[in-house]
Amino acid sequence: SKYRAERLAVYVFFVSSLCFLFISMTKNETVTFVAMNVFEIGVGMYFPSMGTMKSSIVPETQRAAIYNLYRIPLNFIVLTSLLTNLTPRVSFMVCFGMLLTASFLQTCLLRKRDIESPQGTNVELGGKDAEDEKEENQELLANDTMTGDNEDDAKVSMV
């Protein structure tokens, strides 16, 4: 399916935000424990999906500069949390709000990429549609057979 990482991130952000809402609203230790475990599963799903998205969206030549710009808001959030005396309940509510905002913004990104990418385009393959990729594979196969490579090598090149 198209944009798997983007769709996954929407769900991860939304479910993680609900976990923080449950943590901030309940006094039940079991609910808090389960919510924290579900949040940790979300963290485990976040990093691979975000890495996939960043590699497909951020140009490689500008990656270091852009990644450093990502750190500015993060440092601001950390400083704010350290310089204020927020209760744990309020801290979890703030995290709930930030993750809900992230879920909304991720949905906007998903829609924007749907609009920018014509139907049938596979963004995960660098914008090539299925026909272009099939033609490339056929050309590789033809080149391999013309150079005398055996069929096993041609099969590997198609994979």
Side-chain angles (χ1 to χ4, degrees):
S1 70
K2 197 160 118 177
Y3 304 118
R4 285 192 318 242
E6 284 90 342
R7 272 191 215 294
L8 177 65
V10 170
Y11 299 127
V12 166
F13 291 147
F14 185 71
V15 170
S16 295
S17 69
L18 291 179
C19 289
F20 281 138
L21 180 65
F22 291 147
I23 292 168
S24 66
M25 298 306 243
T26 188
K27 301 272 186 206
N28 186 325
E29 291 177 1
T30 304
V31 172
T32 300
F33 178 73
V34 170
M36 288 300 288
N37 284 322
V38 171
F39 172 74
E40 286 298 322
I41 291 169
V43 169
M45 295 168 72
Y46 164 83
F47 284 106
S49 66
M50 192 57 62
T52 301
M53 283 188 295
K54 287 193 305 188
S55 69
S56 69
I57 294 171
V58 179
E60 190 172 338
T61 57
Q62 301 167 344
R63 212 165 268 175
I66 292 173
Y67 286 2
N68 283 328
L69 289 175
Y70 288 159
R71 293 186 181 135
I72 294 170
L74 177 63
N75 289 335
F76 177 72
I77 292 167
V78 169
L79 270 173
T80 302
S81 67
L82 290 174
L83 296 175
T84 58
N85 282 334
L86 299 178
T87 64
R89 182 178 185 276
V90 172
S91 295
F92 283 115
M93 287 301 289
V94 169
C95 289
F96 162 73
M98 287 190 290
L99 280 169
L100 199 59
T101 302
S103 182
F104 170 74
L105 294 174
Q106 186 65 35
T107 303
C108 292
L109 175 67
L110 180 61
R111 287 188 182 150
K112 181 177 175 21
R113 292 195 58 174
D114 276 339
I115 291 169
E116 289 178 353
S117 177
Q119 287 292 6
T121 300
N122 189 345
V123 172
E124 292 175 299
L125 297 173
K128 296 177 187 173
D129 64 16
E131 271 310 301
D132 288 341
E133 186 181 355
K134 186 176 180 181
E135 287 175 20
E136 270 185 32
N137 286 338
Q138 288 174 348
E139 288 173 17
L140 287 172
L141 180 60
N143 289 341
D144 284 345
T145 55
M146 288 170 41
T147 59
D149 290 347
N150 65 27
E151 287 182 24
D152 293 333
D153 291 339
K155 288 178 186 174
V156 170
S157 71
M158 288 185 64
V159 175

